Amino acid sequence: MQNHLNDGFVFRYKLVGSVEYIKSGKDQLFLSKMVKICCIGAGYVGGPTMAVIALKCPNIQVAVVDISTARINAWNSDTLPIYEPGLDEVVKKCRGKNLSFSTDVEKHVAESDMVFVSVNTPTKTQGLGAGKAADLTYWESAARMIADVAKSNKIVVEKSTVPVKTAEAIEKILTHNSKGINFSILSNPEFLAEGTAISDLLNPDRVLIGGRETPEGKKAIEALRDVYAHWVPVDRILCTNLWSAELSKLAANAFLAQRISSVNAMSALCEATGADVSQVAHAVGKDTRIGPKFLNASVGFGGSCFQKDILNLVYICECNGLPEVATYWKQVIKVNDYQKTRFVNRIVSSMFNTVSGKKIAVLGFAFKKDTGDTRETPAIDVCKGLIGDKAKLSIYDPQVNQDQIQRDLSMKKFDWDHPVHLQPMSPTSVKDVSVVWDAYTATKDAHGICILTEWDEFKNLDYQKIFNDMQKPAFVFDGRNVVDAEKLRKIGFIVYSIGKPLDDWLKDMPAVA
Ligand code: NAD
Ligand code: UGA
């Protein structure tokens, strides 16, 4: 098994460089040696990534392992633990052939040539760096376990998003306990977005592999490159040093989030001036140097990573004596928080400065469409803001259930990013929140509607029927710009759309964030 770093491999290293070669029969030379991959962490990244590797590399055995029995049971069932378009088909094709899910972490790690680590890297809640730095507890325990159980050489791949220089710490853990075994550490950050994970994995803009610039490091890079080269064109597989790969991941998320905060900052100015943020974004994005993607104004970005990774970046800048750089990136998060607060204030001020006792229908709770994930969703802050003003909420999301919503609304900041079975249980359910299973029940007798996720079905609801069943005046606050505001106005709604020219009603009741 440990032969994957031997002369046969060096031979490949010199020859590989074209997809043609990978597809030729000579490929067996390598694959017959590299037979098993294991991934620690069966989450949103580990599960889909490994399923696609199994699909594209039928000669490689892929085992996904996790400490959470519930998660592994779900991966082995008909109802997978995460909702992701296309994922069911890929898992069903490979499970029981070359893809398995197991809680027997140590056995599979010991048997594998290459071990991916895709565990949680939450924001620290206590101690040094609390509220900013990444908590590497789960990573460290995975690394110690690898060192303990390994009996042969291994390539250890950082898949989790980690602070720059984490590989150095991991290397120390592995080599101090190595018993003469060689470990090569690689950084292979994941760029998939939820909701499009399978298509992102099948057709990535790039795959990034960072490794040591030593002969062993280069061989390890090539071994991983060979796995991806089964389906990713070689010119899209970028190989760098370890620190560049680790930092590129944090930088990419920071740049993406910065675009959203930029357009959201513009949305506030649009509302104040009568400009339309969609028109501004379209005009700006037509410049090929800027490009059209990721310029949709919204109630704010959510998701498990943007905030966490920027906070982590801020902390790294501060630790490296770069306070100005830290402040620059911190502002991306401040604008995101401002956008959520601004949205809540707009609702409250439009409804005669109080929502106390009023029923507000919340359509959408997931952090974006086509996922059931609610981690750091802007809906949490918006709902908490409305509950703080004593509103009664009726929430509907096609993919998020009542338990999840109650947990999210009662959980402390950052607690969500720990393995589920280690999260604190919600003490009591949040009063004045009901969760329903369709938009018409949610909106019946409501005073206002907030749209917080851009699910396609919200575009085509029967808004006339909804209007008829609501209290008057009936309000729609569209945090995702999904509805046809003019059509709704004709029905009789008062409509607020992020960054769009304001109704006279709203102009008369300005919201101060
Ligand atoms: P997740 O919470 O869905 O999955 C992590 C899994 O790791 C959990 O199931 C947990 O039980 C398991 N785990 C933790 N410690 C373990 C241990 N010692 N042994 C075995 N299993 C263990 O998280 P995720 O969304 O998959 O994210 C994982 C990493 O990937 C994070 O660093 C994240 O920043 C990064 N990332 C996430 C995304 C995304 O879209 N979610 C995209 C790119 C990168
Ligand atoms: C993001 C990145 O897009 C991935 O490349 C990265 O791998 C991942 O984070 C990660 O590291 O976890 P994800 O969070 O799944 O992916 O989803 P995005 O599509 O980036 O959306 C993030 C948030 O921004 C969502 O709340 C979305 O609604 C919001 N958004 C996105 C906007 O408000 N406007 C936009 O124009 C785009």
Side-chain angles (χ1 to χ4, degrees), residues 63 65 85 129 131 210 225 262 272 318 346 369 427 432 449 465:
V65 297
R225 194 168 86 156
S262 297
E318 286 170 354
R346 183 69 82 185
K369 74 171 181 176
D432 293 333
I449 301 174
K465 174 179 159 46

Side-chain angles (χ1 to χ4, degrees), residues 357-386:
K358 292 178 185 165
K359 177 174 173 182
I360 309 281
V362 173
L363 300 187
F365 198 83
F367 81 98
K368 62 189 273 197
K369 74 171 181 176
D370 290 339
T371 176
D373 193 353
T374 59
R375 294 178 292 179
E376 213 58 63
T377 173
I380 294 175
D381 286 340
V382 171
C383 288
K384 283 185 173 171
L386 293 172

Side-chain angles (χ1 to χ4, degrees), residues 352-458:
F352 312 103
N353 238 6
T354 176
V355 288
S356 180
K358 292 178 185 165
K359 177 174 173 182
I360 309 281
V362 173
L363 300 187
F365 198 83
F367 81 98
K368 62 189 273 197
K369 74 171 181 176
D370 290 339
T371 176
D373 193 353
T374 59
R375 294 178 292 179
E376 213 58 63
T377 173
I380 294 175
D381 286 340
V382 171
C383 288
K384 283 185 173 171
L386 293 172
I387 294 166
D389 220 288
K390 300 204 174 109
K392 293 189 182 306
L393 304 184
S394 184
I395 305 177
Y396 164 64
D397 186 292
Q399 286 295 332
V400 188
N401 64 30
Q402 172 159 346
D403 279 3
Q404 186 61 51
I405 290 172
Q406 285 289 355
R407 282 175 82 86
D408 288 335
L409 292 178
S410 53
M411 205 170 309
K412 283 204 209 117
K413 206 165 170 60
F414 304 126
D415 275 352
W416 53 267
D417 201 10
H418 292 266
V420 174
H421 62 291
L422 300 178
Q423 288 171 11
M425 299 305 290
S426 24
T428 47
S429 59
V430 179
K431 281 196 300 167
D432 293 333
V433 173
S434 67
V435 178
V436 297
W437 272 113
D438 76 282
Y440 298 101
T441 312
T443 51
K444 190 164 173 23
D445 294 325
H447 293 78
I449 301 174
C450 312
I451 301 176
L452 300 184
T453 313
E454 71 280 22
W455 287 103
D456 289 337
E457 68 175 75
F458 299 154

